[in-house]
Amino acid sequence: MGNSTVSVVIPAHNAGRTIAETLESVGAQTHADLEILVVDDGSTDETAQIVLAHAATDRRIRLLSQPNAGVAAARNAGIAASGGAFLAPLDADDLWHPAKIERQLRVFREGGEKLGLVYSWFALIDRHSRVVQLRHRPRHEGDVLAALAFHNFIGNGSSALIRREAFDRAGGYDPTLRARGGQGCEDWKLYFEIAERYHFGVVAEPLTGYRDLPENMSSDVLQMLRSRDLCTADLSPRHPELERAFRSGRNRLSRLLFHRAIRSGRIHEVAGLALSIMRYDPVFFAMLAGALPVSAAKGLIGRLWRSGGYQGQSGIEFARLNSP
């Protein structure tokens, strides 16, 4: 395969509802030198049949199958079977703008060999592929290690285009997070390990449609915090100078999840988050609780008590957001 070949790797577990649209968005890329590997991670629905139907009309598509082993293992398996000079991970329910890969490769050409990863902005989309939020606007590029220690500004697993050499040197996605009960931050850990050796570039356009649904893995807030804590425990010993950034970033994520749970009225989630935050940083929790309006705090306490919590541009389709 040539130096312009991009290996698109799509882990898919029971993705029958979305995989066809995802594959269509890949097939529509203006950069056509692609190999497209879908890794069926133990699906029990019609995922495999849908992929094979698309493969019959697009020879770039290949289906790999394995027993369910989690997203990190599925991505690693797909990448191991691929041969492109660049790697483009894509979740089976996300979408791409037609010019995504072309514009990212242009940044790679301009940035030279020191560039290991180019990301794009994303649009948050709903289950009907309608854009519900366009707030993602990071500008981090070059040496981004300190910024990544604070938070995953890339924001998802479908926006990055990665130089294969950079991926290999980082060691791939960490499948042990699942075994350790902390699946969820595999992307963040990989990005950080690439940033230890390479610079990052950015395409400042919303070229990825990221589907954030209640049933998604990222919606399990306590698991997400545990995943971040496990990753931090692995990464921070190499970077004592970033200890404050790691801690501040964890508190930032906790605050976002805590406020979101309160707004949504998910009382048991609020209770679990409160306990996690309190254990991690009691001083920060006191500040967080003290900043709540009195009425909100009283209402929250009452709902927690009654529930036993202390005892145990909308409507725009992503495909129409930016025409190539």
Side-chain angles (χ1 to χ4, degrees):
M1 294 187 179
N3 289 334
S4 62
T5 301
V6 173
S7 298
V8 181
V9 177
I10 307 173
H13 176 69
N14 291 339
R17 190 181 62 80
T18 59
I19 188 65
E21 189 179 11
T22 296
L23 286 172
E24 288 165 6
S25 79
V26 176
Q29 289 298 298
T30 54
H31 179 84
D33 189 6
L34 307 173
E35 62 167 349
I36 306 163
L37 295 95
V38 180
V39 182
D40 183 1
D41 188 35
S43 296
T44 57
D45 67 354
E46 68 277 15
T47 295
Q49 292 88 339
I50 294 171
V51 174
L52 289 173
H54 279 262
T57 60
D58 188 340
R59 293 184 178 180
R60 298 173 299 176
I61 299 174
R62 280 193 288 153
L63 175 67
L64 307 177
S65 298
Q66 65 177 33
N68 181 253
V71 64
R75 286 175 178 161
N76 286 341
I79 289 168
S82 72
F86 296 92
L87 306 171
L90 174 60
D91 287 346
D93 57 353
D94 291 342
L95 304 175
W96 283 347
H97 181 284
K100 175 186 181 289
I101 298 298
E102 177 188 346
R103 293 176 188 174
Q104 288 176 305
L105 286 173
R106 184 185 307 152
V107 175
F108 267 113
R109 286 194 298 271
E110 295 169 353
E113 294 298 315
K114 182 61 177 174
L115 210 57
L117 183 151
V118 174
Y119 66 98
S120 74
W121 292 350
F122 69 82
L124 200 65
I125 60 176
D126 65 13
R127 65 179 66 252
H128 303 294
S129 303
R130 296 176 300 204
V131 174
V132 295
Q133 189 182 105
L134 279 169
R135 297 179 184 172
H136 186 246
R137 295 290 188 272
R139 294 277 184 175
H140 301 293
E141 54 188 334
D143 181 358
V144 301
L145 198 62
L148 272 173
F150 180 61
H151 74 123
N152 179 9
F153 57 80
I154 296 174
N156 62 80
S158 300
S159 292
L161 183 63
I162 304 168
R163 192 184 299 277
R164 178 180 289 274
E165 176 188 281
F167 178 88
D168 290 342
R169 290 186 66 188
Y173 294 98
D174 183 358
T176 73
L177 291 175
R178 187 191 197 212
R180 290 187 278 168
Q183 189 172 225
C185 287
E186 290 86 352
D187 304 318
W188 177 56
K189 188 177 185 185
L190 175 69
Y191 301 155
F192 188 91
E193 290 172 329
I194 292 174
E196 288 180 310
R197 302 170 177 87
Y198 292 87
H199 284 177
F200 281 25
V202 59
V203 179
E205 301 175 72
L207 302 182
T208 300
Y210 172 53
R211 209 183 302 267
D212 186 18
L213 303 176
E215 60 266 27
N216 285 0
M217 181 172 60
S218 59
S219 66
D220 187 338
V221 294
L222 293 177
Q223 179 175 284
M224 187 60 60
L225 286 179
R226 175 167 173 76
S227 186
R228 181 184 167 97
D229 290 344
L230 289 170
C231 291
T232 300
D234 292 342
L235 300 171
S236 61
R238 302 199 295 266
H239 298 279
E241 77 282 4
L242 297 177
E243 180 181 355
R244 183 175 179 179
F246 280 121
R247 176 166 287 273
S248 297
R250 206 279 192 180
N251 286 338
R252 170 191 174 274
L253 177 61
S254 298
R255 182 177 63 248
L256 290 173
L257 296 174
F258 188 66
H259 286 166
R260 187 174 72 177
I262 291 174
R263 288 195 302 270
S264 303
R266 297 194 292 267
I267 303 307
H268 289 289
E269 189 173 286
V270 172
L273 284 166
L275 184 59
S276 174
I277 299 167
M278 206 161 19
R279 286 174 173 169
Y280 181 79
D281 192 333
V283 174
F284 177 74
F285 178 74
M287 294 171 56
L288 186 64
L292 289 174
V294 174
S295 58
K298 286 182 177 178
L300 174 61
I301 291 170
R303 290 197 298 272
L304 282 169
W305 185 264
R306 289 191 297 273
S307 69
Y310 284 124
Q311 301 175 24
Q313 301 58 81
S314 186
I316 302 174
E317 292 181 12
F318 176 74
R320 292 165 44 219
L321 177 62
N322 289 309
S323 57

